[in-house]
Amino acid sequence: MSATAKPDLNAPATAGRFGAYGGRYVPETLMAALEELEAAYEAAKRDPSFQFELDDLLRHYAGRPTPLFLARRLTQELGGAKIYLKREDLLHTGAHKINNCIGQALLARRMGKKRIIAETGAGQHGVATATVCALFGLECVVYMGEEDMERQALNVLRMRILGAEVRGVSAGSKTLKDAINEAMRDWVTNVRTTHYLLGSVLGAHPYPTMVRDFHRVIGREARAQILHQERKLPTAIIACVGGGSNAIGAFFEFIPDTNVKLIGVEAGGRGKTLGDHAARFLEGPTGGSPGVLQGTYSYVLQDDAGQVALTHSVSAGLDYPSVGPEHAALHDSGRATYVSATDDAALDATLRLARTEGIIPALESAHAVAEAMRIAPGMPREDILLVNLSGRGDKDMGILARELEAGL
């Protein structure tokens, strides 16, 4: 539920705030755990041994650096701007999520926490969490909405094979929001022994900052790679936005470069009616408005009474009513632009990329590909679009078989 009290918009910048957004809106029982986590993370940032182990695992276990690939055939077919793909889909477990999971697992071990809980929507964060728990010998419980468990059955099986307990959530819409609620209830109950490995730039401080920092490697690599290959910065960075972790990871290193456009793509779903999409920045009465949800102050899809609205997306990972607070600040400042792509556009982009480049993207990532396909033809050939391909489509085969049956 959204909060009725709103922060002072003119308050000075403090840790955990992105302009007016962010903060720490949690039960008192979690304050000590968040303060412990913040202190551990600040110490780890200054510890060369932590950074060395993190970098070593990202390189030799996760598979970094990921390639930056020029999609030549897609570019030629569309005519216009060059389209480059940052291949996060090639990481171990199949998505960018492993970056953050390795970092937080190292922190949990540093804090002496033996039990890890997580939430997941599309299942990729759950798989990455189960993976690092197996690697470090940690107990793992993943909460997942029952609707998401059905449409992402393959990832449920992967988590269980890796040794995780997957707990289905039957409350509410049975999707990501409800999984987060259950994970937070578990954390309140078991806070002394348990670390909550939150999967996006959401929640109470320090999570939005910490998760962003673990994903900044995406933008650091992409910046060096595009300068090496093209000798100039891209015209725009495009990334899908659910909670917003892959997008902020891709955007952050380019924020000072005001000539580089930052474009986030939300889930336009099946229409603009409230409940038919997950586009928090959609203009008009069915878009989001500032409020508090699950520990942070950001844009939230809500009805006239302030109740959190239902959402819809063909992609489970974008099916969430709020968005990371740093994205809210980037939106309000105008530094980033947020658009939406419909279910149909994402499905079309999936087929187009598969049949021109031999790459099947995750349905989440396909939203970003769809936006690149939309704008590239109207741009000069010397322009460059850099799309963060945050995950691969293995997990979506069941959905694709159902949705694309007539076109296959």
Side-chain angles (χ1 to χ4, degrees):
M1 184 180 295
S2 61
T4 54
K6 296 182 179 180
D8 179 2
L9 299 182
N10 297 313
T14 58
R17 288 282 184 193
F18 308 92
Y21 301 103
R24 191 178 274 169
Y25 297 83
V26 295
E28 190 65 29
T29 50
L30 291 180
M31 289 300 290
L34 288 167
E35 289 167 356
E36 177 191 20
L37 177 59
E38 182 180 13
Y41 177 58
E42 291 301 321
K45 284 196 296 186
R46 298 188 297 269
D47 184 347
S49 65
F50 178 90
Q51 295 299 328
F52 177 85
E53 186 170 11
L54 174 61
D55 292 344
D56 184 71
L57 286 167
L58 288 174
R59 178 176 294 274
H60 297 112
Y61 186 71
R64 303 211 72 92
T66 58
L68 185 66
F69 173 71
L70 173 59
R72 289 179 175 84
R73 290 195 63 225
L74 182 62
T75 296
Q76 290 169 1
E77 283 197 6
L78 294 172
K82 290 183 179 179
I83 298 175
Y84 277 87
L85 306 175
K86 180 58 173 162
R87 299 292 309 276
E88 294 297 288
D89 59 310
L90 294 178
L91 286 171
H92 180 42
T93 72
H96 71 291
K97 295 292 187 180
I98 193 72
N99 302 321
N100 169 54
C101 288
I102 290 174
Q104 286 201 53
L106 289 173
L107 279 178
R109 190 181 67 182
R110 189 182 184 98
M111 293 185 292
K113 301 295 177 72
K114 305 285 189 183
R115 180 175 182 267
I116 302 294
I117 58 171
E119 84 299 327
T120 196
Q124 286 304 119
H125 175 61
V127 169
T129 300
T131 297
V132 297
C133 286
L135 179 65
F136 292 125
L138 302 170
E139 180 185 352
C140 181
V141 176
V142 179
Y143 289 91
M144 191 173 189
E146 289 183 348
E147 179 178 331
D148 291 339
M149 289 182 70
E150 181 177 349
R151 57 181 172 173
Q152 299 291 342
L154 176 61
N155 274 344
V156 174
L157 178 59
R158 292 172 75 193
M159 285 182 269
R160 288 173 171 160
I161 287 174
L162 288 161
E165 177 188 352
V166 183
R167 295 184 183 177
V169 179
S170 60
S173 59
K174 306 177 185 179
T175 56
L176 181 58
K177 170 180 67 70
D178 312 292
I180 294 175
N181 284 338
E182 289 304 314
M184 291 185 73
R185 290 188 184 100
D186 185 318
W187 199 24
V188 168
T189 305
N190 301 290
V191 67
R192 290 187 178 181
T193 61
T194 298
H195 172 65
Y196 180 15
L197 206 163
L198 185 60
S200 195
V201 285
L202 300 167
H205 177 65
Y207 280 106
T209 299
M210 180 178 67
V211 176
R212 176 202 70 198
D213 288 350
F214 285 138
H215 284 304
R216 284 177 62 180
V217 64
I218 301 170
R220 283 197 299 268
E221 288 179 5
R223 184 186 183 88
Q225 289 166 328
I226 198 66
L227 286 173
H228 175 74
Q229 293 185 47
E230 291 285 345
R231 301 294 189 267
K232 63 180 181 179
L233 293 176
T235 308
I237 312 290
I238 306 176
C240 66
V241 181
S245 62
N246 95 87
I248 206 67
F251 291 172
F252 193 77
E253 300 301 317
F254 295 91
I255 289 175
D257 302 295
T258 54
N259 58 323
V260 178
K261 297 178 182 177
L262 307 177
I263 303 173
V265 187
E266 300 185 284
R270 57 195 170 213
K272 294 185 177 180
T273 303
L274 195 63
D276 283 343
H277 64 83
R280 290 65 49 103
F281 297 121
L282 182 70
E283 293 185 4
T286 63
S289 56
V292 173
L293 181 66
Q294 295 174 331
T296 196
Y297 181 71
S298 186
Y299 277 71
V300 182
L301 289 168
Q302 50 193 314
D303 62 22
D304 292 339
Q307 298 297 311
V308 177
L310 295 176
T311 56
H312 163 78
S313 174
V314 71
S315 58
L318 303 186
D319 197 355
Y320 183 68
S322 189
V323 66
E326 192 163 8
H327 286 291
L330 289 171
H331 169 270
D332 284 9
S333 70
R335 180 61 191 93
T337 300
Y338 296 85
V339 299
S340 60
T342 65
D343 288 352
D344 286 344
L347 291 165
D348 288 345
T350 300
L351 276 182
R352 190 76 173 271
L353 188 62
R355 292 175 178 181
T356 56
E357 303 295 346
I359 299 170
I360 303 174
L363 281 169
E364 292 78 14
S365 310
H367 286 70
V369 176
E371 177 62 11
M373 288 170 48
R374 186 184 73 83
I375 66 175
M379 299 173 68
R381 292 182 182 274
E382 61 268 21
D383 281 0
I384 298 168
L385 297 177
L386 197 162
V387 178
N388 192 35
L389 203 70
S390 55
R392 62 177 177 250
D394 307 32
K395 67 184 179 61
D396 295 318
M397 288 299 107
I399 298 172
L400 292 171
R402 182 178 68 247
E403 297 290 339
L404 298 174
E405 183 176 4
L408 295 178

